[in-house]
Amino acid sequence: MADKSKFDTETTARHYAAARPTYPSELFDTLDDLLGHRLAGASVVDVAAGTGISSRQLAERGAHVTAVELSGAMIAQLAGSSPGVRAVQGSGHALPLADGSADLITYAQAWHWMDPERALPEIRRVLRPGGVFALWWNQTDRTSGWAKEQAERITAVVPGWGQEDGTDSARAAELDHVLPRKHSFRFASQRTVPIETHLSNLASKSYIAALGEGLEPFLDSERRILTELFPEGEVTEHFSTLLVASLPNGGDLSIAQKSQAV
């Protein structure tokens, strides 16, 4: 898998920074539990950090965060909006960090871009003994209503996009041979945002950004449809967030009994 970001344009980075959702507070409560209530003060490496959404949320919990991001456009957004977060340009396939320097390594909305055979040795190298590896995804709920209809319109212009967007169960299953002693957790959340924010979130998706000259016509069509459906100018997006955690260097998680099958 080549070390080249699909998000290395200023336009995509700007949409990403403006409109991607944050992650549920319960997820960070769970990370704190996994670390024995030591997230505050922990050394955390947030890999493929994008514009710093998860990095900032980790820092808000008192963690000392190093954000590693390959894209120059994304890390520029991150550095400008994430005070207290150390930003380092680099790849999860060759982390520019010292051996045994992290209590927690995270991948938010990003592990599917990694080659596990290259990334996992780097995770094991940089994690301290007993360190936690955690990865998670926000998944838009498109099972009904306007969101389901929008998914059908996306399929019409980007056949196969669902394979890239993924599903919770598929992602968990893909990790079985990589992290045999993993534990999984799921959280539900929602947000109500202006239609323009929703459209920027769409435009930040790699498969939508790849429409090129077809991007603006697609967004214009969605704007018309959504404005007719929601004349007040806001939509409510629903998310399911999957968190997967393990101890790659051995041991077992202290809250395994709380993990949820997915």
Side-chain angles (χ1 to χ4, degrees), residues 151-164:
E152 293 168 354
R153 294 192 296 271
I154 295 173
T155 299
V157 296
V158 190
W161 70 278
Q163 297 175 0
E164 185 171 321

Side-chain angles (χ1 to χ4, degrees), residues 106-260:
T106 62
Y107 277 83
Q109 213 78 17
W111 180 251
H112 52 288
W113 299 116
M114 295 295 109
D115 177 353
E117 292 186 1
R118 297 172 65 194
L120 278 171
E122 284 294 276
I123 291 165
R124 294 189 175 102
R125 178 183 67 79
V126 174
L127 273 178
R128 293 171 179 155
V132 176
F133 170 43
L135 53 152
W136 62 86
W137 293 269
N138 271 342
Q139 177 75 33
T140 302
D141 182 353
R142 296 188 177 279
T143 56
S144 63
W146 70 269
K148 182 179 180 180
E149 293 170 356
Q150 185 179 72
E152 293 168 354
R153 294 192 296 271
I154 295 173
T155 299
V157 296
V158 190
W161 70 278
Q163 297 175 0
E164 185 171 321
D165 203 50
T167 65
D168 285 354
S169 58
R171 282 172 173 154
E174 288 171 359
L175 291 166
D176 285 345
H177 71 287
V178 175
L179 300 172
R181 293 177 63 81
K182 66 180 173 61
H183 297 282
S184 302
F185 310 83
R186 194 197 305 267
F187 313 95
S189 62
Q190 66 180 57
R191 66 173 186 171
T192 299
V193 296
I195 288 172
E196 289 305 316
T197 299
H198 170 75
L199 294 175
S200 284
N201 185 24
L202 268 185
S204 76
K205 307 289 187 181
S206 60
Y207 47 86
I208 297 296
L211 289 172
E213 293 182 356
L215 173 61
E216 289 305 323
F218 174 77
L219 294 178
D220 286 343
S221 175
E222 288 301 306
R223 183 178 292 108
R224 288 192 298 272
I225 293 168
L226 294 175
T227 299
E228 184 174 340
L229 287 172
F230 305 105
E232 70 280 10
E234 292 186 327
V235 298
T236 298
E237 302 169 331
H238 296 266
F239 303 99
S240 172
T241 304
L242 171 68
L243 165 67
V244 179
S246 75
L247 301 181
N249 291 334
D252 200 6
L253 296 173
S254 60
I255 60 167
Q257 70 273 15
K258 294 185 182 179
S259 70
Q260 306 166 15

Side-chain angles (χ1 to χ4, degrees), residues 4-9 12 70-71 113 164 204 206-207 209:
K4 183 178 180 180
S5 175
K6 287 194 174 185
F7 300 91
D8 204 14
T9 70
T12 301
L70 184 60
S71 163
W113 299 116
E164 185 171 321
S204 76
S206 60
Y207 47 86

Side-chain angles (χ1 to χ4, degrees), residues 14-175:
R14 186 170 62 251
H15 282 304
Y16 204 112
R20 283 289 179 110
T22 56
Y23 301 100
S25 61
E26 294 88 349
L27 184 152
F28 298 95
D29 293 340
T30 301
L31 291 178
D32 189 43
D33 286 345
L34 291 170
L35 289 168
H37 302 287
R38 298 191 306 273
L39 181 56
S43 176
V44 179
V45 178
D46 189 26
V47 189
T51 59
I53 297 170
S54 54
S55 300
R56 289 188 292 275
Q57 289 187 270
L58 287 161
E60 288 167 1
R61 295 295 185 113
H64 302 298
V65 182
T66 297
V68 179
E69 170 57 42
L70 184 60
S71 163
M74 296 291 249
I75 205 168
Q77 290 278 349
L78 185 157
S81 61
S82 308
V85 173
R86 177 190 175 209
V88 178
Q89 190 163 14
S91 167
H93 295 147
L95 291 171
L97 301 168
D99 296 1
S101 58
D103 300 304
L104 169 66
I105 293 179
T106 62
Y107 277 83
Q109 213 78 17
W111 180 251
H112 52 288
W113 299 116
M114 295 295 109
D115 177 353
E117 292 186 1
R118 297 172 65 194
L120 278 171
E122 284 294 276
I123 291 165
R124 294 189 175 102
R125 178 183 67 79
V126 174
L127 273 178
R128 293 171 179 155
V132 176
F133 170 43
L135 53 152
W136 62 86
W137 293 269
N138 271 342
Q139 177 75 33
T140 302
D141 182 353
R142 296 188 177 279
T143 56
S144 63
W146 70 269
K148 182 179 180 180
E149 293 170 356
Q150 185 179 72
E152 293 168 354
R153 294 192 296 271
I154 295 173
T155 299
V157 296
V158 190
W161 70 278
Q163 297 175 0
E164 185 171 321
D165 203 50
T167 65
D168 285 354
S169 58
R171 282 172 173 154
E174 288 171 359
L175 291 166

